[in-house]
Amino acid sequence: DVKVTQSSRYLVKRTGEKVFLECVQDMDHENMFWYRQDPGLGLRLIYFSYDVKMKEKGDIPEGYSVSREKKERFSLILESASTNQTSMYLCASSFPLLAGVKDNEQFFGPGTRLTVL
Amino acid sequence: DQQVKQNSPSLSVQEGRISILNCDYTNSMFDYFLWYKKYPAEGPTFLISISSIKDKNEDGRFTVFLNKSAKHLSLHIVPSQPGDSAVYFCAASGANDYKLSFGAGTTVTVRA
């Protein structure tokens, strides 16, 4: 069974603080993703990584950075938290696309509910 | 601009009846579509998918229909059960693309 774990289920931080959200997967997946989920907006991609030390911006990268030093771990960093970053943060992982095989199912962690005061 | 749209934010259905969830997309390059189910305080879990070479895929009580010309897909749940009460997200991806674009979600409530 694929397991994606996130370091905290609930987090409360103050405006201006640096925030680290950690994600670990145990299935040797190459791809890892960070999303935020907001009511009425669904899941929006912040950053993703297709290999160690590789990262690409998603649809809403502003105010965020990421780090992937090891294959199993993908960290999301809020350099200076702001109230508009209050949200549910979801990490996901998946295998790379294989030639001739279309199966890019992503496996999600339980999420971190971040509140910025 | 959202490329995947779920225009019904909520759906209420009686236990035993059919639930029909709709999803529209605008990107004609999308060729793979997925449905995810999400309970409160949990991450989304994969439910069912369909490739653009098919127009129907069935898995137990869940069936997904794809109408490429209309850029529309739907998820049918028959019969609906109380445990089906959750948020359902439609997602899509293009060829050679492992990123997914998600819709806003539809909250399904199954009434006893």
Side-chain angles (χ1 to χ4, degrees):
Chain A
D1 246 11
V2 176
K3 195 165 184 185
V4 180
T5 56
Q6 294 183 229
S7 51
S8 305
R9 296 300 298 271
Y10 300 93
L11 211 51
V12 179
K13 295 291 181 182
R14 297 215 173 268
T15 301
E17 278 192 81
K18 191 168 186 176
V19 182
F20 292 87
L21 302 182
E22 305 285 339
C23 175
V24 177
Q25 51 93 6
D26 66 359
M27 276 301 290
D28 205 32
H29 285 165
E30 277 75 8
N31 303 328
M32 295 189 76
F33 308 83
W34 274 106
Y35 295 89
R36 60 178 283 177
Q37 182 199 353
D38 299 288
L41 297 176
L43 278 68
R44 293 180 294 166
L45 182 64
I46 305 171
Y47 265 97
F48 64 100
S49 168
Y50 51 89
D51 203 349
V52 176
K53 297 193 185 295
M54 305 302 289
K55 60 185 179 184
E56 285 197 28
K57 294 179 180 179
D59 300 318
I60 51 165
E62 296 78 20
Y64 304 95
S65 62
V66 290
S67 172
R68 191 159 180 209
E69 297 297 318
K70 293 184 178 181
K71 190 175 185 179
E72 68 272 17
R73 187 179 298 270
F74 193 34
S75 303
L76 180 69
I77 303 154
L78 286 67
E79 296 291 342
S80 178
S82 64
T83 55
N84 63 13
Q85 292 178 310
T86 291
S87 186
M88 169 70 83
Y89 288 88
L90 292 161
C91 174
S93 67
S94 72
F95 286 114
L97 293 179
L98 302 175
V101 177
K102 186 65 175 186
D103 179 8
N104 53 354
E105 175 189 347
Q106 293 181 13
F107 298 84
F108 284 84
T112 296
R113 171 72 65 183
L114 173 67
T115 302
V116 183
L117 303 175
Chain B
D1 189 32
Q2 276 199 307
Q3 299 182 77
V4 178
K5 297 179 182 178
Q6 294 176 256
N7 292 319
S8 297
S10 63
L11 173 70
S12 180
V13 64
Q14 196 161 13
E15 183 178 1
R17 298 290 186 103
I18 184 171
S19 294
I20 300 176
L21 290 77
N22 293 304
C23 178
D24 297 294
Y25 61 96
T26 57
N27 189 338
S28 57
M29 301 302 292
F30 286 153
D31 72 341
Y32 193 72
F33 305 89
L34 307 89
W35 285 93
Y36 279 82
K37 177 179 180 178
K38 185 181 185 299
Y39 292 118
E42 293 184 16
T45 54
F46 170 75
L47 192 57
I48 192 169
S49 63
I50 188 167
S51 165
S52 60
I53 62 173
K54 295 184 175 182
D55 54 19
K56 176 182 173 181
N57 188 28
E58 194 171 350
D59 183 2
R61 297 186 297 115
F62 303 91
T63 303
V64 56
F65 296 92
L66 175 63
N67 182 335
K68 282 184 64 180
S69 60
K71 293 192 180 68
H72 176 85
L73 61 154
S74 61
L75 174 69
H76 293 208
I77 307 173
V78 183
S80 299
Q81 298 175 353
D84 297 331
S85 295
V87 180
Y88 290 79
F89 291 101
C90 173
S93 71
N96 303 315
D97 189 359
Y98 41 72
K99 293 184 295 179
L100 296 177
S101 295
F102 284 85
T106 297
T107 300
V108 172
T109 302
V110 180
R111 310 184 309 271

